[in-house]
Amino acid sequence: MNNVLTIRATITVESTGKVIDTLDDWGCAIGNNDYIGEPETETYYIDVPGADGFLDGSEAITGRPVYKSREINVLLGGKKPREDWDSFISTIRNQVHGRTVKVTFSNDPSYYWTGRAYITEFDRFREIGQFHLSIPKADPYKYSIADSTEEWLWDPLNLERGAIENGSGITISESGSYTIHAGDGVIIPVLDVKSVGSDGLKVTGCGETYSLELGENRFPDIAVYDTDVTLEFTGTGTLDIVYRRKSL
């Protein structure tokens, strides 16, 4: 097991693009092992008259568990001159407090977590100070950083988007197909259409057919979960199929 004091976090601030290494830039080590909380499951229980217990309808609509959020609470601490601590805390609050961030931990460098961060519970005893980097409503999933393309990483659809796995620059002439392989978490791909021919462009997946328009198309009913899904295209056009793999 890694010594917790050797683990560092890398924080990227969405609005500014600033990248912070908690050990190199802040001089603060992580002081807890339980900084990733458990995901909160969305549940829906129905009280059926005359029946014992409750009917659990949580997965009735989606056919899979749905997770709402999870808490990330990182205890950070270090040693600085006593007179430096107040200005230091002000500086890091200005950098990250209330901002949406992505956080990667050095013991799990292939994934990042995302949510709105806060600096909380600052305390100091002489030269030793500590505080929490808190993300109370973090996304329940961590996302793969493989093949990231920063120009769209913080797009409003970023929670379902990600690494392009041979889905870039697809040209459809009359018909074509593309298979998305199932992973650890549900994948809802974004179909980024670059051009559409005179006869239009359609996609069929998970038993549903949709007409595609220029720009980003996202259909919640086309979801890859337990099994691979093949998207069937008809018409003419070009598009990218964009998604990011994720894991609990």
Side-chain angles (χ1 to χ4, degrees), residues 109-181:
S110 297
Y111 292 89
Y112 71 85
W113 303 87
T114 184
R116 193 170 299 278
Y118 302 90
I119 302 298
T120 65
E121 300 180 62
F122 168 57
D123 194 16
R124 175 185 62 79
F125 179 73
R126 296 182 179 176
E127 293 89 2
I128 305 299
Q130 67 177 35
F131 59 94
H132 289 256
L133 175 71
S134 175
I135 308 177
K137 294 291 184 182
D139 190 283
Y141 288 98
K142 60 182 180 180
Y143 292 86
S144 172
I145 65 172
D147 301 323
S148 64
T149 305
E150 294 300 324
E151 66 187 23
W152 50 255
L153 182 58
W154 290 107
D155 180 282
L157 293 176
N158 77 303
L159 298 185
E160 300 293 352
R161 300 192 61 178
I164 300 172
E165 299 185 355
N166 299 319
S168 179
I170 295 174
T171 298
I172 305 299
S173 298
E174 295 187 1
S175 65
S177 65
Y178 178 86
T179 299
I180 301 176
H181 299 286

Side-chain angles (χ1 to χ4, degrees), residues 32 125 214:
N32 61 332
F125 179 73
L214 286 174

Side-chain angles (χ1 to χ4, degrees), residues 40-247:
E40 179 185 2
T41 306
E42 183 176 285
T43 57
Y44 178 58
Y45 293 102
I46 304 168
D47 188 359
V48 180
D52 295 326
F54 293 88
L55 176 63
D56 186 354
S58 304
E59 300 179 25
I61 296 177
T62 62
R64 58 178 174 82
V66 174
Y67 302 99
K68 298 172 70 174
S69 67
R70 74 197 308 161
E71 182 180 14
I72 296 177
N73 196 13
V74 185
L75 173 64
L76 292 160
K79 184 177 182 181
K80 302 179 184 296
R82 296 174 62 179
E83 63 272 15
D84 290 353
W85 271 106
D86 286 341
S87 61
F88 169 74
I89 290 296
S90 290
T91 296
I92 66 173
R93 282 181 179 139
N94 288 332
Q95 291 173 343
V96 304
H97 190 80
R99 298 178 186 269
T100 301
V101 300
K102 67 172 183 176
V103 182
T104 300
F105 295 97
S106 59
N107 61 338
D108 192 16
S110 297
Y111 292 89
Y112 71 85
W113 303 87
T114 184
R116 193 170 299 278
Y118 302 90
I119 302 298
T120 65
E121 300 180 62
F122 168 57
D123 194 16
R124 175 185 62 79
F125 179 73
R126 296 182 179 176
E127 293 89 2
I128 305 299
Q130 67 177 35
F131 59 94
H132 289 256
L133 175 71
S134 175
I135 308 177
K137 294 291 184 182
D139 190 283
Y141 288 98
K142 60 182 180 180
Y143 292 86
S144 172
I145 65 172
D147 301 323
S148 64
T149 305
E150 294 300 324
E151 66 187 23
W152 50 255
L153 182 58
W154 290 107
D155 180 282
L157 293 176
N158 77 303
L159 298 185
E160 300 293 352
R161 300 192 61 178
I164 300 172
E165 299 185 355
N166 299 319
S168 179
I170 295 174
T171 298
I172 305 299
S173 298
E174 295 187 1
S175 65
S177 65
Y178 178 86
T179 299
I180 301 176
H181 299 286
D184 294 325
V186 63
I187 297 170
I188 301 179
V190 172
L191 309 181
D192 191 0
V193 177
K194 307 299 184 181
S195 67
V196 177
S198 58
D199 53 350
L201 183 62
K202 294 183 177 181
V203 61
T204 299
C206 299
E208 301 289 341
T209 299
Y210 300 94
S211 295
L212 297 176
E213 299 179 352
L214 286 174
E216 296 175 343
N217 299 257
R218 179 180 181 274
F219 308 105
D221 287 337
I222 297 182
V224 185
Y225 186 52
D226 287 328
T227 59
D228 299 347
V229 170
T230 297
L231 303 179
E232 300 287 349
F233 296 94
T234 56
T236 57
T238 58
L239 74 154
D240 294 341
I241 302 174
V242 191
Y243 54 92
R244 185 178 294 279
R245 298 200 174 274
K246 60 188 180 180
S247 174

